[in-house]
Amino acid sequence: MKKLAVILILLTLFLANIAFCEDAKKPNIYENKLFGFKFVVPEKWRLHGEEKFNKKYSCAIVDYGLPLTWSDKENQEIENAVIVVAYMRPDITNIDELVSFEKRRIKQILVSMEEVSEEKRTAFLVITKINGLEYKTQSSFIYKNNCGYIISFTATHGTYDKNLSLYHEFLNGVELFEPEMKYTVLKKE
């Protein structure tokens, strides 16, 4: 009888351990149903900010920091960022208006903005300057389901090339779907 009890306890512990390991392997998924996007959050990325719905600007924002990367140029470890912004506004009804909106939004810090080749998306290499420091950003623009999406990777000049492939891998996994928030785009007259 004792032997059977020990076997049952060991079996229970074994099955509980398997269940725990399966849960630990599940990817961390970020989803914003209001604006219709989701993605797998890579391991070791840190959430820095999230706004599921900003009523004033009619947008959603989520911002992640990548693991620290050593930069010989800056002579220190740098945390790069990936930001996803979704807009649903009457002044953004196509990809060109989304790009123009972003240019106006960042004009105070913008050094240059040139289009780069990216499959299935409009993308720009953006150089900005904040407090005397230059940053390099690749921004991908998508307009779908009455929603404008800007997915960006920002780094220093010394870390940009080191993490760009991680950004592309992340970007290819972003899923866009029909937003729960229904919005009728007003036509300009």
Side-chain angles (χ1 to χ4, degrees):
M1 188 71 164
K2 263 187 175 178
K3 206 175 198 182
L4 181 61
V6 170
I7 290 172
L8 286 174
I9 289 171
L10 289 174
L11 183 62
T12 303
L13 289 173
F14 176 73
L15 293 174
N17 190 38
I18 289 174
F20 176 76
C21 289
E22 288 301 314
D23 283 346
K25 290 180 185 178
K26 288 182 183 177
N28 180 10
I29 307 247
Y30 178 88
E31 183 172 27
N32 184 314
K33 291 179 181 179
L34 277 178
F35 284 85
F37 66 93
K38 74 177 179 177
F39 52 83
V40 174
V41 179
E43 240 181 83
K44 299 183 182 175
W45 284 25
R46 294 183 331 141
L47 178 66
H48 283 295
E50 172 190 30
E51 204 162 348
K52 291 258 186 197
F53 177 53
N54 179 304
K55 194 171 183 175
K56 181 177 180 181
Y57 297 107
S58 194
C59 70
I61 302 168
V62 62
D63 173 18
Y64 283 91
L66 282 65
L68 293 174
T69 301
W70 179 259
S71 169
D72 290 331
K73 187 172 186 167
E74 288 89 15
N75 198 31
Q76 65 179 335
E77 288 188 314
I78 306 287
E79 182 182 47
N80 298 161
V82 169
I83 301 169
V84 179
V85 182
Y87 291 103
M88 203 175 283
R89 301 168 49 102
D91 56 336
I92 300 175
T93 61
N94 58 50
I95 197 77
D96 293 330
E97 290 174 349
L98 179 61
V99 171
S100 293
F101 179 86
E102 181 67 357
K103 282 181 183 177
R104 286 190 310 275
R105 190 186 72 77
I106 64 171
K107 70 181 177 184
Q108 298 297 322
I109 59 170
L110 183 63
V111 173
S112 66
M113 187 170 178
E114 62 182 68
E115 195 161 0
V116 294
S117 175
E118 193 176 281
E119 194 177 313
K120 301 178 189 172
R121 293 174 283 269
T122 300
F124 290 87
L125 178 61
V126 181
I127 306 296
T128 54
K129 195 171 199 174
I130 303 169
N131 298 326
L133 299 173
E134 276 197 2
Y135 296 93
K136 202 170 181 179
T137 299
Q138 183 166 334
S139 292
S140 304
F141 295 78
I142 304 157
Y143 189 83
K144 187 175 180 177
N145 299 321
N146 291 328
C147 199
Y149 302 92
I150 304 172
I151 306 166
S152 299
F153 162 65
T154 300
T156 63
H157 288 281
T159 58
Y160 182 84
D161 291 332
K162 291 180 179 183
N163 283 324
L164 185 60
S165 63
L166 294 176
Y167 167 67
H168 284 143
E169 187 179 315
F170 166 79
L171 181 62
N172 289 329
V174 175
E175 293 179 44
L176 305 178
F177 53 89
E178 187 71 35
E180 281 185 0
M181 186 163 62
K182 298 302 173 200
Y183 184 75
T184 305
V185 177
L186 303 173
K187 292 188 178 185
K188 295 179 181 175
E189 293 185 25

